[in-house]
PDB file of all heavy atoms in Angstrom:
ATOM      1  N   MET M   1      -2.139 -15.546   5.265  1.00  0.00           N
ATOM      2  CA  MET M   1      -1.464 -14.600   4.373  1.00  0.00           C
ATOM      3  C   MET M   1      -2.362 -13.399   4.112  1.00  0.00           C
ATOM      4  O   MET M   1      -3.580 -13.522   4.017  1.00  0.00           O
ATOM      5  CB  MET M   1      -1.103 -15.287   3.046  1.00  0.00           C
ATOM      6  CG  MET M   1      -0.016 -16.349   3.204  1.00  0.00           C
ATOM      7  SD  MET M   1       0.348 -17.240   1.670  1.00  0.00           S
ATOM      8  CE  MET M   1       1.146 -15.984   0.717  1.00  0.00           C
ATOM      9  N   GLY M   2      -1.752 -12.262   3.981  1.00  0.00           N
ATOM     10  CA  GLY M   2      -2.482 -11.041   3.684  1.00  0.00           C
ATOM     11  C   GLY M   2      -2.755 -10.904   2.201  1.00  0.00           C
ATOM     12  O   GLY M   2      -2.232 -11.667   1.374  1.00  0.00           O
ATOM     13  N   ARG M   3      -3.546  -9.947   1.872  1.00  0.00           N
ATOM     14  CA  ARG M   3      -3.926  -9.715   0.481  1.00  0.00           C
ATOM     15  C   ARG M   3      -2.722  -9.523  -0.431  1.00  0.00           C
ATOM     16  O   ARG M   3      -2.633 -10.107  -1.507  1.00  0.00           O
ATOM     17  CB  ARG M   3      -4.850  -8.504   0.383  1.00  0.00           C
ATOM     18  CG  ARG M   3      -5.333  -8.274  -1.049  1.00  0.00           C
ATOM     19  CD  ARG M   3      -5.865  -6.912  -1.255  1.00  0.00           C
ATOM     20  NE  ARG M   3      -4.764  -5.970  -1.047  1.00  0.00           N
ATOM     21  CZ  ARG M   3      -4.888  -4.666  -1.153  1.00  0.00           C
ATOM     22  NH1 ARG M   3      -6.042  -4.128  -1.420  1.00  0.00           N
ATOM     23  NH2 ARG M   3      -3.854  -3.872  -0.963  1.00  0.00           N
ATOM     24  N   ASN M   4      -1.759  -8.680  -0.001  1.00  0.00           N
ATOM     25  CA  ASN M   4      -0.596  -8.404  -0.843  1.00  0.00           C
ATOM     26  C   ASN M   4       0.254  -9.662  -1.048  1.00  0.00           C
ATOM     27  O   ASN M   4       0.753  -9.903  -2.151  1.00  0.00           O
ATOM     28  CB  ASN M   4       0.251  -7.283  -0.256  1.00  0.00           C
ATOM     29  CG  ASN M   4      -0.467  -5.958  -0.271  1.00  0.00           C
ATOM     30  OD1 ASN M   4      -1.477  -5.786  -0.950  1.00  0.00           O
ATOM     31  ND2 ASN M   4       0.039  -5.001   0.483  1.00  0.00           N
ATOM     32  N   GLU M   5       0.410 -10.446   0.016  1.00  0.00           N
ATOM     33  CA  GLU M   5       1.172 -11.698  -0.096  1.00  0.00           C
ATOM     34  C   GLU M   5       0.497 -12.657  -1.075  1.00  0.00           C
ATOM     35  O   GLU M   5       1.156 -13.273  -1.919  1.00  0.00           O
ATOM     36  CB  GLU M   5       1.268 -12.391   1.265  1.00  0.00           C
ATOM     37  CG  GLU M   5       2.372 -11.915   2.161  1.00  0.00           C
ATOM     38  CD  GLU M   5       2.393 -12.755   3.436  1.00  0.00           C
ATOM     39  OE1 GLU M   5       1.429 -12.651   4.223  1.00  0.00           O
ATOM     40  OE2 GLU M   5       3.374 -13.504   3.617  1.00  0.00           O
ATOM     41  N   ILE M   6      -0.818 -12.796  -0.942  1.00  0.00           N
ATOM     42  CA  ILE M   6      -1.562 -13.688  -1.837  1.00  0.00           C
ATOM     43  C   ILE M   6      -1.444 -13.187  -3.278  1.00  0.00           C
ATOM     44  O   ILE M   6      -1.248 -13.980  -4.207  1.00  0.00           O
ATOM     45  CB  ILE M   6      -3.040 -13.796  -1.398  1.00  0.00           C
ATOM     46  CG1 ILE M   6      -3.135 -14.502  -0.040  1.00  0.00           C
ATOM     47  CG2 ILE M   6      -3.874 -14.515  -2.452  1.00  0.00           C
ATOM     48  CD1 ILE M   6      -4.526 -14.501   0.576  1.00  0.00           C
ATOM     49  N   SER M   7      -1.534 -11.892  -3.449  1.00  0.00           N
ATOM     50  CA  SER M   7      -1.414 -11.303  -4.780  1.00  0.00           C
ATOM     51  C   SER M   7      -0.076 -11.669  -5.419  1.00  0.00           C
ATOM     52  O   SER M   7      -0.022 -12.081  -6.581  1.00  0.00           O
ATOM     53  CB  SER M   7      -1.568  -9.784  -4.686  1.00  0.00           C
ATOM     54  OG  SER M   7      -1.313  -9.178  -5.921  1.00  0.00           O
ATOM     55  N   ARG M   8       0.996 -11.522  -4.644  1.00  0.00           N
ATOM     56  CA  ARG M   8       2.326 -11.877  -5.166  1.00  0.00           C
ATOM     57  C   ARG M   8       2.423 -13.371  -5.452  1.00  0.00           C
ATOM     58  O   ARG M   8       2.953 -13.785  -6.484  1.00  0.00           O
ATOM     59  CB  ARG M   8       3.413 -11.444  -4.177  1.00  0.00           C
ATOM     60  CG  ARG M   8       3.702  -9.956  -4.201  1.00  0.00           C
ATOM     61  CD  ARG M   8       4.940  -9.606  -3.375  1.00  0.00           C
ATOM     62  NE  ARG M   8       4.769  -9.860  -1.950  1.00  0.00           N
ATOM     63  CZ  ARG M   8       4.227  -9.009  -1.085  1.00  0.00           C
ATOM     64  NH1 ARG M   8       3.809  -7.836  -1.504  1.00  0.00           N
ATOM     65  NH2 ARG M   8       4.122  -9.317   0.195  1.00  0.00           N
ATOM     66  N   GLU M   9       1.924 -14.183  -4.523  1.00  0.00           N
ATOM     67  CA  GLU M   9       1.999 -15.644  -4.656  1.00  0.00           C
ATOM     68  C   GLU M   9       1.246 -16.140  -5.895  1.00  0.00           C
ATOM     69  O   GLU M   9       1.722 -17.009  -6.621  1.00  0.00           O
ATOM     70  CB  GLU M   9       1.441 -16.306  -3.392  1.00  0.00           C
ATOM     71  CG  GLU M   9       1.402 -17.807  -3.426  1.00  0.00           C
ATOM     72  CD  GLU M   9       2.766 -18.454  -3.260  1.00  0.00           C
ATOM     73  OE1 GLU M   9       3.679 -17.813  -2.703  1.00  0.00           O
ATOM     74  OE2 GLU M   9       2.917 -19.599  -3.711  1.00  0.00           O
ATOM     75  N   MET M  10       0.071 -15.563  -6.123  1.00  0.00           N
ATOM     76  CA  MET M  10      -0.765 -16.049  -7.224  1.00  0.00           C
ATOM     77  C   MET M  10      -0.518 -15.293  -8.535  1.00  0.00           C
ATOM     78  O   MET M  10      -1.026 -15.703  -9.577  1.00  0.00           O
ATOM     79  CB  MET M  10      -2.248 -15.956  -6.833  1.00  0.00           C
ATOM     80  CG  MET M  10      -2.619 -16.879  -5.682  1.00  0.00           C
ATOM     81  SD  MET M  10      -4.376 -16.850  -5.270  1.00  0.00           S
ATOM     82  CE  MET M  10      -5.093 -17.651  -6.698  1.00  0.00           C
ATOM     83  N   GLY M  11       0.201 -14.173  -8.451  1.00  0.00           N
ATOM     84  CA  GLY M  11       0.450 -13.389  -9.662  1.00  0.00           C
ATOM     85  C   GLY M  11      -0.790 -12.677 -10.162  1.00  0.00           C
ATOM     86  O   GLY M  11      -0.971 -12.499 -11.369  1.00  0.00           O
ATOM     87  N   ILE M  12      -1.629 -12.264  -9.228  1.00  0.00           N
ATOM     88  CA  ILE M  12      -2.892 -11.593  -9.556  1.00  0.00           C
ATOM     89  C   ILE M  12      -2.909 -10.252  -8.830  1.00  0.00           C
ATOM     90  O   ILE M  12      -2.446 -10.145  -7.701  1.00  0.00           O
ATOM     91  CB  ILE M  12      -4.101 -12.463  -9.127  1.00  0.00           C
ATOM     92  CG1 ILE M  12      -4.063 -13.804  -9.878  1.00  0.00           C
ATOM     93  CG2 ILE M  12      -5.416 -11.744  -9.364  1.00  0.00           C
ATOM     94  CD1 ILE M  12      -5.099 -14.797  -9.410  1.00  0.00           C
ATOM     95  N   THR M  13      -3.469  -9.235  -9.451  1.00  0.00           N
ATOM     96  CA  THR M  13      -3.455  -7.897  -8.848  1.00  0.00           C
ATOM     97  C   THR M  13      -4.214  -7.870  -7.523  1.00  0.00           C
ATOM     98  O   THR M  13      -5.135  -8.674  -7.295  1.00  0.00           O
ATOM     99  CB  THR M  13      -4.086  -6.849  -9.796  1.00  0.00           C
ATOM    100  OG1 THR M  13      -5.462  -7.158  -9.977  1.00  0.00           O
ATOM    101  CG2 THR M  13      -3.367  -6.809 -11.134  1.00  0.00           C
ATOM    102  N   ASN M  14      -3.823  -6.904  -6.673  1.00  0.00           N
ATOM    103  CA  ASN M  14      -4.448  -6.738  -5.356  1.00  0.00           C
ATOM    104  C   ASN M  14      -5.954  -6.534  -5.473  1.00  0.00           C
ATOM    105  O   ASN M  14      -6.730  -7.082  -4.687  1.00  0.00           O
ATOM    106  CB  ASN M  14      -3.845  -5.525  -4.628  1.00  0.00           C
ATOM    107  CG  ASN M  14      -2.410  -5.728  -4.239  1.00  0.00           C
ATOM    108  OD1 ASN M  14      -1.901  -6.840  -4.249  1.00  0.00           O
ATOM    109  ND2 ASN M  14      -1.738  -4.644  -3.892  1.00  0.00           N
ATOM    110  N   SER M  15      -6.358  -5.715  -6.429  1.00  0.00           N
ATOM    111  CA  SER M  15      -7.791  -5.400  -6.542  1.00  0.00           C
ATOM    112  C   SER M  15      -8.608  -6.646  -6.893  1.00  0.00           C
ATOM    113  O   SER M  15      -9.718  -6.833  -6.368  1.00  0.00           O
ATOM    114  CB  SER M  15      -8.024  -4.294  -7.571  1.00  0.00           C
ATOM    115  OG  SER M  15      -7.552  -4.694  -8.848  1.00  0.00           O
ATOM    116  N   VAL M  16      -8.073  -7.512  -7.749  1.00  0.00           N
ATOM    117  CA  VAL M  16      -8.783  -8.750  -8.101  1.00  0.00           C
ATOM    118  C   VAL M  16      -8.863  -9.669  -6.886  1.00  0.00           C
ATOM    119  O   VAL M  16      -9.914 -10.272  -6.606  1.00  0.00           O
ATOM    120  CB  VAL M  16      -8.102  -9.456  -9.302  1.00  0.00           C
ATOM    121  CG1 VAL M  16      -8.698 -10.847  -9.531  1.00  0.00           C
ATOM    122  CG2 VAL M  16      -8.245  -8.609 -10.553  1.00  0.00           C
ATOM    123  N   ILE M  17      -7.778  -9.768  -6.135  1.00  0.00           N
ATOM    124  CA  ILE M  17      -7.786 -10.588  -4.911  1.00  0.00           C
ATOM    125  C   ILE M  17      -8.844 -10.054  -3.949  1.00  0.00           C
ATOM    126  O   ILE M  17      -9.644 -10.821  -3.389  1.00  0.00           O
ATOM    127  CB  ILE M  17      -6.395 -10.616  -4.241  1.00  0.00           C
ATOM    128  CG1 ILE M  17      -5.355 -11.290  -5.144  1.00  0.00           C
ATOM    129  CG2 ILE M  17      -6.455 -11.278  -2.874  1.00  0.00           C
ATOM    130  CD1 ILE M  17      -5.583 -12.769  -5.388  1.00  0.00           C
ATOM    131  N   SER M  18      -8.888  -8.743  -3.759  1.00  0.00           N
ATOM    132  CA  SER M  18      -9.859  -8.143  -2.828  1.00  0.00           C
ATOM    133  C   SER M  18     -11.292  -8.416  -3.270  1.00  0.00           C
ATOM    134  O   SER M  18     -12.140  -8.813  -2.458  1.00  0.00           O
ATOM    135  CB  SER M  18      -9.641  -6.633  -2.731  1.00  0.00           C
ATOM    136  OG  SER M  18      -8.424  -6.359  -2.110  1.00  0.00           O
ATOM    137  N   ARG M  19     -11.583  -8.157  -4.528  1.00  0.00           N
ATOM    138  CA  ARG M  19     -12.958  -8.364  -5.035  1.00  0.00           C
ATOM    139  C   ARG M  19     -13.366  -9.838  -4.932  1.00  0.00           C
ATOM    140  O   ARG M  19     -14.484 -10.151  -4.507  1.00  0.00           O
ATOM    141  CB  ARG M  19     -13.070  -7.882  -6.483  1.00  0.00           C
ATOM    142  CG  ARG M  19     -13.205  -6.390  -6.624  1.00  0.00           C
ATOM    143  CD  ARG M  19     -13.670  -5.975  -8.017  1.00  0.00           C
ATOM    144  NE  ARG M  19     -12.889  -6.572  -9.102  1.00  0.00           N
ATOM    145  CZ  ARG M  19     -11.804  -6.026  -9.652  1.00  0.00           C
ATOM    146  NH1 ARG M  19     -11.394  -4.847  -9.223  1.00  0.00           N
ATOM    147  NH2 ARG M  19     -11.175  -6.632 -10.633  1.00  0.00           N
ATOM    148  N   THR M  20     -12.470 -10.742  -5.326  1.00  0.00           N
ATOM    149  CA  THR M  20     -12.790 -12.170  -5.291  1.00  0.00           C
ATOM    150  C   THR M  20     -12.977 -12.634  -3.849  1.00  0.00           C
ATOM    151  O   THR M  20     -13.921 -13.386  -3.544  1.00  0.00           O
ATOM    152  CB  THR M  20     -11.694 -12.998  -5.982  1.00  0.00           C
ATOM    153  OG1 THR M  20     -11.515 -12.510  -7.308  1.00  0.00           O
ATOM    154  CG2 THR M  20     -12.066 -14.470  -6.039  1.00  0.00           C
ATOM    155  N   ALA M  21     -12.100 -12.207  -2.955  1.00  0.00           N
ATOM    156  CA  ALA M  21     -12.220 -12.585  -1.544  1.00  0.00           C
ATOM    157  C   ALA M  21     -13.555 -12.120  -0.987  1.00  0.00           C
ATOM    158  O   ALA M  21     -14.255 -12.885  -0.301  1.00  0.00           O
ATOM    159  CB  ALA M  21     -11.065 -12.002  -0.743  1.00  0.00           C
ATOM    160  N   ALA M  22     -13.942 -10.907  -1.276  1.00  0.00           N
ATOM    161  CA  ALA M  22     -15.231 -10.397  -0.796  1.00  0.00           C
ATOM    162  C   ALA M  22     -16.379 -11.209  -1.397  1.00  0.00           C
ATOM    163  O   ALA M  22     -17.356 -11.538  -0.698  1.00  0.00           O
ATOM    164  CB  ALA M  22     -15.382  -8.926  -1.153  1.00  0.00           C
ATOM    165  N   HIS M  23     -16.264 -11.562  -2.659  1.00  0.00           N
ATOM    166  CA  HIS M  23     -17.307 -12.315  -3.358  1.00  0.00           C
ATOM    167  C   HIS M  23     -17.501 -13.708  -2.747  1.00  0.00           C
ATOM    168  O   HIS M  23     -18.635 -14.192  -2.645  1.00  0.00           O
ATOM    169  CB  HIS M  23     -16.956 -12.426  -4.847  1.00  0.00           C
ATOM    170  CG  HIS M  23     -17.938 -13.211  -5.637  1.00  0.00           C
ATOM    171  ND1 HIS M  23     -19.208 -12.739  -5.935  1.00  0.00           N
ATOM    172  CD2 HIS M  23     -17.869 -14.464  -6.176  1.00  0.00           C
ATOM    173  CE1 HIS M  23     -19.862 -13.650  -6.628  1.00  0.00           C
ATOM    174  NE2 HIS M  23     -19.060 -14.717  -6.798  1.00  0.00           N
ATOM    175  N   ILE M  24     -16.402 -14.336  -2.328  1.00  0.00           N
ATOM    176  CA  ILE M  24     -16.519 -15.697  -1.766  1.00  0.00           C
ATOM    177  C   ILE M  24     -16.561 -15.700  -0.235  1.00  0.00           C
ATOM    178  O   ILE M  24     -16.460 -16.747   0.395  1.00  0.00           O
ATOM    179  CB  ILE M  24     -15.414 -16.634  -2.300  1.00  0.00           C
ATOM    180  CG1 ILE M  24     -14.021 -16.157  -1.901  1.00  0.00           C
ATOM    181  CG2 ILE M  24     -15.514 -16.799  -3.806  1.00  0.00           C
ATOM    182  CD1 ILE M  24     -12.884 -17.103  -2.307  1.00  0.00           C
ATOM    183  N   GLY M  25     -16.697 -14.500   0.363  1.00  0.00           N
ATOM    184  CA  GLY M  25     -16.925 -14.406   1.802  1.00  0.00           C
ATOM    185  C   GLY M  25     -15.668 -14.406   2.664  1.00  0.00           C
ATOM    186  O   GLY M  25     -15.743 -14.714   3.855  1.00  0.00           O
ATOM    187  N   LEU M  26     -14.549 -14.060   2.091  1.00  0.00           N
ATOM    188  CA  LEU M  26     -13.310 -13.972   2.869  1.00  0.00           C
ATOM    189  C   LEU M  26     -13.019 -12.506   3.181  1.00  0.00           C
ATOM    190  O   LEU M  26     -13.302 -11.618   2.380  1.00  0.00           O
ATOM    191  CB  LEU M  26     -12.134 -14.560   2.085  1.00  0.00           C
ATOM    192  CG  LEU M  26     -12.236 -16.018   1.654  1.00  0.00           C
ATOM    193  CD1 LEU M  26     -11.023 -16.403   0.817  1.00  0.00           C
ATOM    194  CD2 LEU M  26     -12.355 -16.926   2.867  1.00  0.00           C
ATOM    195  N   SER M  27     -12.432 -12.270   4.334  1.00  0.00           N
ATOM    196  CA  SER M  27     -12.006 -10.903   4.668  1.00  0.00           C
ATOM    197  C   SER M  27     -10.588 -10.974   5.214  1.00  0.00           C
ATOM    198  O   SER M  27     -10.142 -12.023   5.670  1.00  0.00           O
ATOM    199  CB  SER M  27     -12.952 -10.258   5.693  1.00  0.00           C
ATOM    200  OG  SER M  27     -12.913 -10.988   6.893  1.00  0.00           O
ATOM    201  N   PHE M  28      -9.914  -9.862   5.159  1.00  0.00           N
ATOM    202  CA  PHE M  28      -8.522  -9.802   5.609  1.00  0.00           C
ATOM    203  C   PHE M  28      -8.442  -9.018   6.909  1.00  0.00           C
ATOM    204  O   PHE M  28      -9.106  -8.000   7.068  1.00  0.00           O
ATOM    205  CB  PHE M  28      -7.632  -9.154   4.540  1.00  0.00           C
ATOM    206  CG  PHE M  28      -7.531  -9.979   3.294  1.00  0.00           C
ATOM    207  CD1 PHE M  28      -8.285  -9.676   2.174  1.00  0.00           C
ATOM    208  CD2 PHE M  28      -6.686 -11.077   3.239  1.00  0.00           C
ATOM    209  CE1 PHE M  28      -8.196 -10.442   1.030  1.00  0.00           C
ATOM    210  CE2 PHE M  28      -6.589 -11.851   2.099  1.00  0.00           C
ATOM    211  CZ  PHE M  28      -7.352 -11.537   0.981  1.00  0.00           C
ATOM    212  N   ASP M  29      -7.613  -9.509   7.823  1.00  0.00           N
ATOM    213  CA  ASP M  29      -7.395  -8.850   9.113  1.00  0.00           C
ATOM    214  C   ASP M  29      -6.540  -7.609   8.875  1.00  0.00           C
ATOM    215  O   ASP M  29      -5.390  -7.716   8.455  1.00  0.00           O
ATOM    216  CB  ASP M  29      -6.693  -9.812  10.072  1.00  0.00           C
ATOM    217  CG  ASP M  29      -6.398  -9.183  11.425  1.00  0.00           C
ATOM    218  OD1 ASP M  29      -6.980  -8.110  11.729  1.00  0.00           O
ATOM    219  OD2 ASP M  29      -5.600  -9.770  12.174  1.00  0.00           O
ATOM    220  N   ARG M  30      -7.097  -6.470   9.112  1.00  0.00           N
ATOM    221  CA  ARG M  30      -6.374  -5.225   8.872  1.00  0.00           C
ATOM    222  C   ARG M  30      -5.711  -4.676  10.137  1.00  0.00           C
ATOM    223  O   ARG M  30      -5.115  -3.616  10.114  1.00  0.00           O
ATOM    224  CB  ARG M  30      -7.305  -4.178   8.272  1.00  0.00           C
ATOM    225  CG  ARG M  30      -7.868  -4.659   6.940  1.00  0.00           C
ATOM    226  CD  ARG M  30      -8.527  -3.552   6.190  1.00  0.00           C
ATOM    227  NE  ARG M  30      -9.164  -4.086   5.007  1.00  0.00           N
ATOM    228  CZ  ARG M  30      -8.690  -3.923   3.797  1.00  0.00           C
ATOM    229  NH1 ARG M  30      -7.592  -3.257   3.609  1.00  0.00           N
ATOM    230  NH2 ARG M  30      -9.326  -4.420   2.766  1.00  0.00           N
ATOM    231  N   SER M  31      -5.796  -5.413  11.224  1.00  0.00           N
ATOM    232  CA  SER M  31      -5.198  -4.924  12.474  1.00  0.00           C
ATOM    233  C   SER M  31      -3.683  -4.810  12.345  1.00  0.00           C
ATOM    234  O   SER M  31      -3.072  -3.906  12.922  1.00  0.00           O
ATOM    235  CB  SER M  31      -5.572  -5.829  13.649  1.00  0.00           C
ATOM    236  OG  SER M  31      -5.062  -7.138  13.464  1.00  0.00           O
ATOM    237  N   LYS M  32      -3.060  -5.712  11.575  1.00  0.00           N
ATOM    238  CA  LYS M  32      -1.614  -5.631  11.381  1.00  0.00           C
ATOM    239  C   LYS M  32      -1.249  -4.377  10.588  1.00  0.00           C
ATOM    240  O   LYS M  32      -0.248  -3.725  10.870  1.00  0.00           O
ATOM    241  CB  LYS M  32      -1.097  -6.875  10.662  1.00  0.00           C
ATOM    242  CG  LYS M  32      -1.176  -8.136  11.491  1.00  0.00           C
ATOM    243  CD  LYS M  32      -0.686  -9.338  10.705  1.00  0.00           C
ATOM    244  CE  LYS M  32      -0.885 -10.624  11.490  1.00  0.00           C
ATOM    245  NZ  LYS M  32      -0.539 -11.798  10.694  1.00  0.00           N
ATOM    246  N   ILE M  33      -2.085  -4.062   9.604  1.00  0.00           N
ATOM    247  CA  ILE M  33      -1.839  -2.854   8.803  1.00  0.00           C
ATOM    248  C   ILE M  33      -1.964  -1.621   9.691  1.00  0.00           C
ATOM    249  O   ILE M  33      -1.134  -0.722   9.643  1.00  0.00           O
ATOM    250  CB  ILE M  33      -2.821  -2.777   7.616  1.00  0.00           C
ATOM    251  CG1 ILE M  33      -2.547  -3.931   6.647  1.00  0.00           C
ATOM    252  CG2 ILE M  33      -2.725  -1.437   6.901  1.00  0.00           C
ATOM    253  CD1 ILE M  33      -3.607  -4.109   5.579  1.00  0.00           C
ATOM    254  N   ARG M  34      -3.007  -1.595  10.521  1.00  0.00           N
ATOM    255  CA  ARG M  34      -3.228  -0.459  11.432  1.00  0.00           C
ATOM    256  C   ARG M  34      -2.046  -0.331  12.392  1.00  0.00           C
ATOM    257  O   ARG M  34      -1.548   0.768  12.632  1.00  0.00           O
ATOM    258  CB  ARG M  34      -4.540  -0.654  12.194  1.00  0.00           C
ATOM    259  CG  ARG M  34      -4.802   0.317  13.338  1.00  0.00           C
ATOM    260  CD  ARG M  34      -4.759   1.773  12.997  1.00  0.00           C
ATOM    261  NE  ARG M  34      -5.740   2.154  12.020  1.00  0.00           N
ATOM    262  CZ  ARG M  34      -5.705   3.313  11.385  1.00  0.00           C
ATOM    263  NH1 ARG M  34      -4.755   4.184  11.629  1.00  0.00           N
ATOM    264  NH2 ARG M  34      -6.611   3.619  10.501  1.00  0.00           N
ATOM    265  N   ALA M  35      -1.587  -1.453  12.931  1.00  0.00           N
ATOM    266  CA  ALA M  35      -0.459  -1.426  13.866  1.00  0.00           C
ATOM    267  C   ALA M  35       0.804  -0.911  13.167  1.00  0.00           C
ATOM    268  O   ALA M  35       1.555  -0.112  13.740  1.00  0.00           O
ATOM    269  CB  ALA M  35      -0.216  -2.817  14.442  1.00  0.00           C
ATOM    270  N   ALA M  36       1.026  -1.335  11.925  1.00  0.00           N
ATOM    271  CA  ALA M  36       2.202  -0.872  11.172  1.00  0.00           C
ATOM    272  C   ALA M  36       2.098   0.627  10.894  1.00  0.00           C
ATOM    273  O   ALA M  36       3.090   1.356  11.007  1.00  0.00           O
ATOM    274  CB  ALA M  36       2.336  -1.648   9.870  1.00  0.00           C
ATOM    275  N   MET M  37       0.903   1.098  10.545  1.00  0.00           N
ATOM    276  CA  MET M  37       0.712   2.530  10.295  1.00  0.00           C
ATOM    277  C   MET M  37       0.939   3.337  11.575  1.00  0.00           C
ATOM    278  O   MET M  37       1.573   4.395  11.540  1.00  0.00           O
ATOM    279  CB  MET M  37      -0.692   2.788   9.739  1.00  0.00           C
ATOM    280  CG  MET M  37      -0.849   2.333   8.301  1.00  0.00           C
ATOM    281  SD  MET M  37      -2.544   2.466   7.661  1.00  0.00           S
ATOM    282  CE  MET M  37      -3.006   4.123   8.066  1.00  0.00           C
ATOM    283  N   ASP M  38       0.432   2.825  12.687  1.00  0.00           N
ATOM    284  CA  ASP M  38       0.629   3.514  13.968  1.00  0.00           C
ATOM    285  C   ASP M  38       2.114   3.573  14.336  1.00  0.00           C
ATOM    286  O   ASP M  38       2.598   4.594  14.828  1.00  0.00           O
ATOM    287  CB  ASP M  38      -0.164   2.818  15.085  1.00  0.00           C
ATOM    288  CG  ASP M  38      -1.671   3.002  14.952  1.00  0.00           C
ATOM    289  OD1 ASP M  38      -2.098   3.892  14.175  1.00  0.00           O
ATOM    290  OD2 ASP M  38      -2.418   2.248  15.608  1.00  0.00           O
ATOM    291  N   ALA M  39       2.821   2.482  14.077  1.00  0.00           N
ATOM    292  CA  ALA M  39       4.257   2.455  14.377  1.00  0.00           C
ATOM    293  C   ALA M  39       5.006   3.454  13.497  1.00  0.00           C
ATOM    294  O   ALA M  39       5.893   4.173  13.978  1.00  0.00           O
ATOM    295  CB  ALA M  39       4.809   1.045  14.169  1.00  0.00           C
ATOM    296  N   ARG M  40       4.665   3.517  12.220  1.00  0.00           N
ATOM    297  CA  ARG M  40       5.314   4.491  11.315  1.00  0.00           C
ATOM    298  C   ARG M  40       5.027   5.914  11.762  1.00  0.00           C
ATOM    299  O   ARG M  40       5.904   6.774  11.740  1.00  0.00           O
ATOM    300  CB  ARG M  40       4.855   4.276   9.875  1.00  0.00           C
ATOM    301  CG  ARG M  40       5.606   3.163   9.173  1.00  0.00           C
ATOM    302  CD  ARG M  40       5.351   3.183   7.678  1.00  0.00           C
ATOM    303  NE  ARG M  40       3.979   2.862   7.360  1.00  0.00           N
ATOM    304  CZ  ARG M  40       3.535   1.663   7.014  1.00  0.00           C
ATOM    305  NH1 ARG M  40       4.370   0.661   6.930  1.00  0.00           N
ATOM    306  NH2 ARG M  40       2.266   1.462   6.750  1.00  0.00           N
ATOM    307  N   LYS M  41       3.784   6.168  12.164  1.00  0.00           N
ATOM    308  CA  LYS M  41       3.436   7.517  12.625  1.00  0.00           C
ATOM    309  C   LYS M  41       4.220   7.875  13.884  1.00  0.00           C
ATOM    310  O   LYS M  41       4.719   8.994  14.006  1.00  0.00           O
ATOM    311  CB  LYS M  41       1.940   7.638  12.888  1.00  0.00           C
ATOM    312  CG  LYS M  41       1.554   9.068  13.297  1.00  0.00           C
ATOM    313  CD  LYS M  41       0.088   9.239  13.472  1.00  0.00           C
ATOM    314  CE  LYS M  41      -0.329  10.628  13.870  1.00  0.00           C
ATOM    315  NZ  LYS M  41       0.618  11.475  14.527  1.00  0.00           N
TER     316      LYS M  41
END
């Protein structure tokens, strides 16, 4: 699951999910975001 999905699932803001994930050594795959942005462009 991506950051936004986890945020919705847990009811916690995106920024808190991002900071906590970084703190505990998790990162999110942004290739899907890049691909979506490229498709929109």
Side-chain angles (χ1 to χ4, degrees):
M1 292 176 70
R3 183 198 64 180
N4 293 345
E5 276 184 293
I6 293 172
S7 174
R8 283 189 295 274
E9 177 75 23
M10 295 183 69
I12 299 173
T13 65
N14 292 345
S15 60
V16 171
I17 296 294
S18 292
R19 281 195 309 269
T20 305
H23 178 72
I24 62 175
L26 301 176
S27 63
F28 294 100
D29 178 15
R30 299 193 186 254
S31 63
K32 291 178 185 174
I33 294 169
R34 170 55 61 194
M37 287 174 50
D38 290 345
R40 278 193 293 264
K41 183 176 180 336

